[in-house]
Amino acid sequence: MHETWRAAYQRWLNFPALDAEMRSALDAIQTDESLVVEHFYRTIDFGTGGMRGELGPGTNRINIYTIRKATEALSRYLLSQGEQARQSGVVIAYDSRHKSPLFAEEAAKVLGKHGIRVYLFDRVFPTPLLSFAVRHLAAIAGIVITASHNPASYNGYKVYGSDGAQITPDTADKLMALIQETGDELAIEVADERELRQTGMLSTIGDSVLEAYLEQVKSIRLHTHLSASARDDVRIIFTPLHGTTGEAISKGLAAFGYQQVALVQEQADPDPDFSSVSSPNPEDPQAFALAIRDAKAAHADLIIGTDPDGDRIGVLVKNTTGDYVPLTGNQIGALLLYDVLNQKKNKGTLPDNGIMMKTIVTSELGSQIARDFGLVTEDTLTGFKYIGEKIAEYEKSGQYVFQFGYEESYGMLVGDFVRDKDAVQSALLLADLCTYHKARKESLLDALQQLFDRYGFYCEELHTLTYKGIQGVESMTAMMSSLRSTPLPSLLGYRVIYREDYLEGIRFDLEKGSCEPLMLPRSDVLKFGLEGDAWFCIRPSGTEPKIKLYIGTKGISLEDSTEKLALLKQELIRLIGSP
């Protein structure tokens, strides 16, 4: 029988060995029943993105007990695969957030209790380094303690498979079932950390993994003949936004020969409160206020920033008036994609069976670029785990050779020695791309304009609607149901030419009056294609109480495309309604 929130709350209150901080936090909320319900009305979800939520006491919060419970489930899952799992071991990384080192240690102690070897990073490291380390050390799995770019009050827990990619929905479902079977999170036993270290079951990693990773990044460098003077002519401002990439990107840029690099000092060190920004998100231009200040003083060519766990990258470029213009994730991806394919074509290393991968909500500009170079494009569901899964599939079959993968949310991958989006390798390759164009008297904005002139003027935007609490989840569900049941023949005079329902797994061609199956995993996503190469997609977030609305347009100029997008956005918000 499912435990009620009241019973779960009483179980925690009555647990004599409850962590003192948790006890104090429980006392602080006891007079607010609605808040107690929020903390205890469910077991925090475990999806393909793992767990992510606010810190605090309760079954619906991130704390040492829910971390232990998730790791207990993972331990049981790994041991079901055979004895080799114990020796192959699990790699654990963590970011700069509150309690991340503690949660990493707790996870290690649960794994150790089951006799599973653990490799624990000795300091904060980016998520892509975790993906790399799993493959480099031939581990059976990986864990990273992170909440990506969420507010400071959040933390999370993500699981990676032996291929270095995030787990698939099937594995996530198995882990969620095991979490439910595990029962009382307060009763999970852990090993003694000192004993684990003494017996060699727990070892720390750091420098050697970073060095091996940077050597791999050097192997995919495209512009290997840039002169020292060309590199010295490029000034870069870099900010890790209080996160994990400060060391890796700084060392990488130095290894690539860049000397004119300045770190935003107020944001250089890991800080769990992200004290200098309202949101540590490189998708938000406001996060770059201090970087822009430093860039103007240094007359910098390029600003690079990463999110706290180092898988997303933001870029700003100086324009002709000396202002710094942010590029979107779609634009950064298109610039890197074109450069990768163009350089490989010029060198004769572009394979005949190359493939580019992107998500269904990523710009169609990438598809046009890939087609121009003779590559196949494959769309996946939102989430880089699906790209990682496809890389492994084609690596095994030999049907296609991976060349590039990206998603609109500022994540991209060139070298598949990592199987997740990687802001570190992206930053190093972008520095070279900036240098290459500056040597030709061009900026990255000039390079982007060249892509628009060649392939068309594409414009995209993500708009997020936040739904709070239990009622919010119900509202999201009702809204998606309404969109499925009520036909939408047109929007702003643009005919709807197709509708893709990824929950039903069907693509409806409204012009032909036909339908066909979608060869992707089932997911609560709706995508509508409009005449004139416009589209929009509606997706409830898998990790947050939000509806994400993606919109894309193509026009005869950037102004035309931007105007179309603004009108479509306004009409869609009116159609959906405010939370």
Side-chain angles (χ1 to χ4, degrees):
M1 182 177 176
H2 177 71
E3 184 181 42
T4 66
W5 68 264
R6 197 178 300 278
Y9 176 50
Q10 287 299 323
R11 180 165 54 81
W12 276 58
L13 281 177
N14 296 334
F15 183 56
L18 189 69
D19 174 80
E21 185 177 343
M22 292 293 97
R23 175 77 64 189
S24 177
L26 278 183
D27 290 342
I29 66 171
Q30 63 179 334
T31 59
D32 187 339
E33 184 173 290
S34 63
L35 194 54
V36 173
V37 172
E38 279 293 316
H39 282 246
F40 286 95
Y41 82 92
R42 65 171 184 169
T43 296
I44 192 168
D45 279 339
F46 192 103
T48 53
M51 301 187 302
R52 192 183 302 176
E54 292 186 64
L55 293 160
T59 57
N60 189 36
R61 290 294 186 268
I62 299 293
N63 51 65
I64 60 171
Y65 303 109
T66 52
I67 292 290
R68 287 176 181 175
K69 189 170 185 174
T71 311
E72 176 71 18
L74 176 62
S75 300
R76 296 182 186 186
Y77 173 76
L78 295 177
L79 292 177
S80 72
Q81 299 180 39
E83 182 62 27
Q84 183 60 33
R86 295 183 192 271
Q87 293 306 314
S88 296
V90 176
V91 184
I92 303 178
Y94 56 92
D95 69 7
S96 57
R97 290 178 174 274
H98 289 289
K99 300 190 180 300
S100 284
L102 172 63
F103 293 159
E105 291 171 2
E106 292 297 322
K109 290 191 292 185
V110 174
L111 290 162
K113 187 69 176 179
H114 288 275
I116 299 173
R117 183 181 301 276
V118 178
Y119 301 95
L120 178 63
F121 275 99
D122 62 2
R123 56 194 185 274
V124 296
F125 266 93
T127 290
L129 266 291
L130 180 279
S131 174
F132 173 78
V134 169
R135 297 173 59 80
H136 182 66
L137 298 171
I140 192 69
I143 298 169
V144 60
I145 306 296
T146 181
S148 188
H149 56 277
N150 282 89
S153 59
Y154 279 65
N155 212 326
Y157 179 105
K158 291 166 66 174
V159 176
Y160 288 71
S162 59
D163 62 348
Q166 293 182 47
I167 56 172
T168 61
D170 179 60
T171 302
D173 289 344
K174 292 176 181 176
L175 286 175
M176 188 63 198
L178 286 168
I179 287 172
Q180 299 290 357
E181 292 174 12
T182 298
D184 187 358
E185 62 280 343
L186 303 175
I188 293 168
E189 297 181 359
V190 299
D192 181 79
E193 182 180 349
R194 184 179 299 178
E195 290 182 6
L196 291 176
R197 292 187 182 278
Q198 289 175 344
T199 59
M201 291 301 293
L202 172 59
S203 55
T204 54
I205 56 175
D207 290 342
S208 62
V209 172
L210 177 58
E211 290 168 5
Y213 167 84
L214 291 177
E215 285 300 314
Q216 285 291 317
V217 179
K218 288 180 185 178
S219 73
I220 62 168
R221 193 175 189 181
L222 301 164
H223 299 279
T224 55
H225 300 299
L226 293 171
S227 67
S229 61
R231 294 194 300 269
D232 287 343
D233 192 39
V234 171
R235 289 173 170 80
I236 300 170
I237 300 297
F238 164 51
T239 173
L241 294 177
H242 303 294
T244 61
T245 62
E247 179 183 7
I249 290 181
S250 294
K251 287 185 175 179
L253 288 171
F256 269 40
Y258 288 96
Q259 305 299 321
Q260 304 297 326
V261 179
L263 205 58
V264 177
Q265 289 304 310
E266 296 95 329
Q267 299 169 341
D269 295 329
D271 173 9
D273 291 316
F274 310 113
S275 53
S276 73
V277 293
S278 58
S279 172
N281 186 352
E283 300 178 48
D284 181 3
Q286 293 182 5
F288 290 93
L290 294 178
I292 292 172
R293 175 204 65 190
D294 290 355
K296 287 183 175 179
H299 304 288
D301 303 284
L302 180 67
I303 298 174
I304 293 172
T306 59
D307 69 342
D309 73 320
D311 58 2
R312 301 173 193 240
I313 185 168
V315 172
L316 287 85
V317 184
K318 185 169 65 173
N319 65 14
T320 54
T321 63
D323 293 321
Y324 288 87
V325 179
L327 302 181
T328 69
N330 284 309
Q331 292 168 348
I332 299 166
L335 285 167
L336 268 181
L337 170 64
Y338 183 84
D339 191 47
V340 168
L341 302 186
N342 190 48
Q343 294 301 317
K344 286 187 175 183
K345 180 182 179 181
N346 292 340
K347 296 175 181 178
T349 59
L350 189 63
D352 293 334
N353 61 337
I355 189 169
M356 186 276 287
M357 302 177 191
K358 69 178 188 66
T359 66
I360 59 173
V361 296
T362 299
S363 173
E364 289 304 312
L365 175 56
S367 302
Q368 293 288 338
I369 294 171
R371 186 180 300 114
D372 190 28
F373 284 91
L375 265 69
V376 169
T377 293
E378 180 154 354
D379 282 351
T380 71
L381 291 178
T382 306
F384 221 89
K385 53 189 165 287
Y386 297 108
I387 293 177
E389 183 182 22
K390 282 294 180 180
I391 294 173
E393 177 185 322
Y394 292 132
E395 183 179 54
K396 184 177 181 180
S397 70
Q399 181 180 0
Y400 296 115
V401 179
F402 174 79
Q403 299 300 300
F404 191 85
Y406 76 120
E407 59 184 10
E408 59 78 36
S409 56
Y410 295 67
M412 48 220 71
L413 180 68
V414 177
D416 65 0
F417 47 87
V418 169
R419 296 296 167 89
D420 203 353
K421 50 187 179 284
D422 186 347
V424 180
Q425 61 170 268
S426 299
L428 305 187
L429 297 178
L430 281 164
D432 273 357
L433 182 57
C434 180
T435 304
Y436 169 75
H437 281 287
K438 188 170 185 182
R440 297 160 62 97
K441 310 300 182 183
E442 299 169 342
S443 71
L444 290 182
L445 291 176
D446 294 324
L448 182 62
Q449 183 64 42
Q450 291 165 16
L451 294 184
F452 286 149
D453 290 339
R454 182 166 182 169
Y455 299 109
F457 293 86
Y458 289 82
C459 188
E460 300 83 22
E461 185 175 339
L462 165 63
H463 182 74
T464 300
L465 302 170
T466 301
Y467 295 75
K468 291 288 188 180
I470 302 172
Q471 292 79 14
V473 174
E474 293 172 350
S475 297
M476 289 165 59
T477 302
M479 187 266 288
M480 293 297 289
S481 177
S482 176
L483 285 170
R484 287 190 167 91
S485 61
T486 305
L488 185 66
S490 64
L491 196 68
L492 278 183
Y494 296 104
R495 286 183 299 112
V496 176
I497 57 177
Y498 70 83
R499 182 178 82 249
E500 294 174 344
D501 189 335
Y502 290 86
L503 191 60
E504 294 186 18
I506 299 175
R507 185 183 196 274
F508 300 91
D509 188 321
L510 303 181
E511 289 194 314
K512 297 179 180 178
S514 61
C515 61
E516 59 185 29
L518 291 167
M519 307 308 291
L520 290 173
R522 300 297 174 92
S523 183
D524 189 11
V525 179
L526 288 168
K527 184 175 182 180
F528 297 80
L530 308 175
E531 60 182 341
D533 293 316
W535 58 270
F536 67 92
C537 185
I538 302 175
R539 180 180 75 89
S541 172
T543 55
E544 304 165 272
K546 296 178 179 179
I547 286 284
K548 295 191 173 183
L549 176 61
Y550 305 84
I551 313 166
T553 56
K554 181 183 178 183
I556 58 175
S557 67
L558 196 55
E559 292 76 15
D560 177 46
S561 184
T562 302
E563 183 179 351
K564 286 181 179 178
L565 190 142
L567 291 171
L568 276 176
K569 174 183 172 182
Q570 183 179 20
E571 181 64 12
L572 282 168
I573 293 173
R574 187 199 64 79
L575 177 70
I576 294 171
S578 300

